[in-house]
Amino acid sequence: MSLSRYCVGAALLLSLGLALPARAAAGETLTQSVQKGLNYLVPDVVAFSRQNSCQACHRQGAALFGASVAKAGGYTVNTSDTQGLGYLALRAVQDQTAGGFWIHDANTFRNSKTSYAFFGLAGYDQLVSTRFSQQLVKAAEASLAVQQANGRWIEEHQSLPTTYGDVPTTARIMMGIAQARARVDAVAAERYAARLTLAAKWLRDNRSNPSEQVMGYSFQRAYALLGLNAVGASATDADVVFFQNALLGSTSAATGRGWGYTAGHAADEYNTGLALYALCRSGVSLRDSTRVRDAANWLRDRQNPRGYWQSSQFETLDIPTTFASLGLACFGEL
């Protein structure tokens, strides 16, 4: 699989040349694992942002969202404007265009970059601070302007794992619009709700689409769950149950725990983290499912003692660390 090298090549400097790490100490709790992950992730993303002076798709947006989730869950997270979540949120709004979206060079990869920055700001707005609500609404309006007639948003970059297929991009933008809906008047909120319903219909209509560009991979089904969650679908919704069962029935046969791209792939932190977060958000707890519990413990056991996750499947530390932390942060202890 071709893994994403999108935005800034300097991200590779964080992991090239490092040996595969020693794993976490036996008996460490899930909450200890999450805190160690956050202690590594937030300063790392801030340092990357300072060094490269750019909004680099998943690099900041996904970390901002995940760390905001963790902060709301009671974890210790730096929220300052110099070294913490405030800095990452400021970085995002500084790079936002006057039209409300984010772009790469020469107006390229608009949906790809916007989807990540937008959902990062949505998590920050909902769970940390509302000071950038105006920018969140601008992003919503920009996104609505480029929604396709069938409800989806098109991913322009198309590189595994972080910018592949229209489902993840659609779901992240849905999460952003759902949060922006809380910051507008009743008329605009109704308009936002109608567009979210249209996007959810596209996810529902494609729930069994086996294409690698649609629902062929675990992370796509996880994002579909998150998109349905954004429109308020309940745990008993038929399509929510469908995606839950699809994930729970496709854990990695090769690894025995966790999720890979498909059941035939070895588990990895990206697919496993997203699957855990989506299942958690849709109502599946550690107590409910042995597969969820085993996957969470698998992630914990793979963590480097210094807090990051590293995998031979990814060229950088940030992808496995960001999404492993997100997946685990949604759960407490059993």
Side-chain angles (χ1 to χ4, degrees), residues 165-236:
D166 295 345
V167 171
T169 304
T170 295
R172 287 190 298 268
I173 291 177
M174 290 174 71
M175 294 163 76
I177 292 172
Q179 181 57 27
R181 186 182 173 209
R183 308 296 179 220
V184 295
D185 61 32
V187 173
E190 185 174 349
R191 177 164 54 91
Y192 286 14
R195 294 295 195 91
L196 287 169
T197 299
L198 181 63
K201 182 179 185 302
W202 181 75
L203 294 175
R204 295 176 188 278
D205 289 347
N206 283 277
R207 72 177 199 173
S208 298
N209 189 328
S211 168
E212 292 182 357
Q213 287 282 329
V214 188
M215 295 292 180
Y217 290 141
S218 298
F219 70 85
Q220 294 162 333
R221 294 189 289 273
Y223 266 119
L225 264 180
L226 293 174
L228 294 182
N229 180 259
V231 299
S234 71
T236 58

Side-chain angles (χ1 to χ4, degrees), residues 16-310:
L16 290 179
L18 292 177
L20 287 176
R23 300 309 184 192
E28 195 165 69
T29 67
L30 294 180
T31 52
Q32 287 172 325
S33 177
V34 173
Q35 189 62 63
K36 284 171 58 179
L38 294 167
N39 292 348
Y40 173 85
L41 179 64
V42 174
D44 177 71
V45 177
V46 169
F48 174 89
S49 303
R50 290 189 187 282
Q51 180 180 352
N52 294 284
S53 298
C54 75
Q55 187 72 20
C57 65
H58 76 277
R59 192 72 172 89
Q60 291 100 333
L64 178 59
F65 182 86
S68 296
V69 168
K71 177 70 171 62
Y75 291 95
T76 300
V77 181
N78 188 329
T79 59
S80 74
D81 286 356
T82 55
Q83 299 294 331
L85 301 188
Y87 175 83
L88 297 179
L90 279 165
R91 175 80 261 172
V93 299
Q94 287 167 359
D95 285 357
Q96 188 179 25
T97 68
F101 47 86
W102 286 261
I103 57 173
H104 192 52
D105 295 338
N107 202 30
T108 57
F109 308 139
R110 171 177 165 164
N111 290 350
S112 186
K113 289 200 72 170
T114 297
S115 71
Y116 273 111
F118 190 14
F119 109 119
L121 277 183
Y124 184 78
D125 185 83
Q126 180 184 14
L127 303 169
V128 181
S129 171
T130 60
R131 61 182 176 151
F132 297 129
S133 295
Q134 182 180 355
Q135 290 86 346
L136 187 74
V137 172
K138 283 177 62 178
E141 292 294 336
S143 297
L144 291 175
V146 295
Q147 186 179 19
Q148 300 298 296
N150 64 3
R152 81 191 196 282
W153 281 267
I154 295 173
E155 169 60 62
E156 313 101 330
H157 189 249
Q158 297 293 358
S159 182
L160 279 167
T162 57
T163 58
Y164 190 78
D166 295 345
V167 171
T169 304
T170 295
R172 287 190 298 268
I173 291 177
M174 290 174 71
M175 294 163 76
I177 292 172
Q179 181 57 27
R181 186 182 173 209
R183 308 296 179 220
V184 295
D185 61 32
V187 173
E190 185 174 349
R191 177 164 54 91
Y192 286 14
R195 294 295 195 91
L196 287 169
T197 299
L198 181 63
K201 182 179 185 302
W202 181 75
L203 294 175
R204 295 176 188 278
D205 289 347
N206 283 277
R207 72 177 199 173
S208 298
N209 189 328
S211 168
E212 292 182 357
Q213 287 282 329
V214 188
M215 295 292 180
Y217 290 141
S218 298
F219 70 85
Q220 294 162 333
R221 294 189 289 273
Y223 266 119
L225 264 180
L226 293 174
L228 294 182
N229 180 259
V231 299
S234 71
T236 58
D237 182 288
D239 293 311
V240 169
V241 173
F242 176 89
F243 284 120
Q244 287 177 339
N245 289 338
L247 283 171
L248 292 171
S250 61
T251 51
S252 171
T255 307
R257 298 189 293 171
W259 285 267
Y261 289 95
T262 69
H265 289 85
D268 65 76
E269 293 83 354
Y270 177 71
N271 283 282
T272 299
L274 278 167
L276 285 175
Y277 183 65
L279 289 167
C280 175
R281 290 291 297 153
S282 64
V284 181
S285 72
L286 291 172
R287 189 177 298 278
D288 292 333
S289 171
T290 299
R291 294 192 175 192
V292 168
R293 196 158 58 245
D294 286 348
N297 289 332
W298 178 80
L299 275 182
R300 175 202 60 192
D301 294 343
R302 287 182 58 81
Q303 187 179 29
N304 185 281
R306 286 182 282 178
Y308 58 78
W309 279 263
Q310 185 177 6

